[in-house]
Amino acid sequence: NPDRGDDGVGRLVARLLRDRVPADVHVAEHGGDAAGLISLLQDADCVFLVDAAVSGTPPGTIHRVDCAAAGTLPPASGMSSHGLGVAEAIALARALGCLPRGCVVYAVEGTCFAPGSEVTRSVLDAAHKVAVRIAEELGLLRPSTAASRLSGGRQCHVRPQAESEAIPRAKA
C-alpha cells in the first residue's frame, strides 16, 4: 500500500536501483496482486522481490530467501495488504511451472503500517542495504564500493510507497 509506512520498502529499493542498473535489468514497482506478480515472474529469468515482513525479529532485519531452491518459500505474513501475498504468488508460480530459475525474496522487518505513516528509520536504512545487496548479486558492484556508488556518494532519500521487483531480463 503506497501510504502505509514500512510497507513501502519495495518501492524505495526499486527507486534506489532504477537508474543504476543496465538496460537488460527491468525494475518494476508492483502493487502486490498475485496475478500481476505471476505475470511478471513468468517473463523473467531471474527475479529479486522486495517486501515488508512481520516475523517478530527486530525492525529493519533483512531476511533473504532463495525461492528457487526446491520447496523454499518466504514465510507468509498475516500483514499482507494484497489478499494473496508474495509467498502465495511464488507457490502458485511454482505449481504452474513459471517460477524463474532465479528467485530471491528480500523481506525487511517492519513495524509501522498505519495509514498515512512514513517509513521508519530502521526500514529506510535496511532498504539502502538491500539495494546494495541486489546490486552486488547482479554483479554490478563489488561489495566495498556498492554503498557509495548506489547513492552517488551521498545518502539517497526517497519517500517509499509499496512493494516492487528488480527483474533481470535475458539479453536479446
Side-chain angles (χ1 to χ4, degrees), residues 54-70:
V54 178
S55 68
T57 59
T61 299
I62 299 168
H63 308 274
R64 183 189 182 279
V65 180
D66 182 354
C67 299

Side-chain angles (χ1 to χ4, degrees), residues 9 12 22 38 45 52 55 72 79 92 108 119 129 140 143 157 161:
V9 66
L12 176 58
I38 289 169
D45 292 324
S55 68
T72 307
M79 285 299 298
L92 185 54
V108 177
V119 68
K129 291 175 185 173
L140 302 175
H157 296 283
Q161 293 189 0

Side-chain angles (χ1 to χ4, degrees), residues 126-144:
H128 285 272
K129 291 175 185 173
V130 169
V132 167
R133 288 184 187 181
I134 291 172
E136 290 171 355
E137 287 196 56
L138 290 171
L140 302 175
L141 304 170
R142 290 191 321 256
S144 63

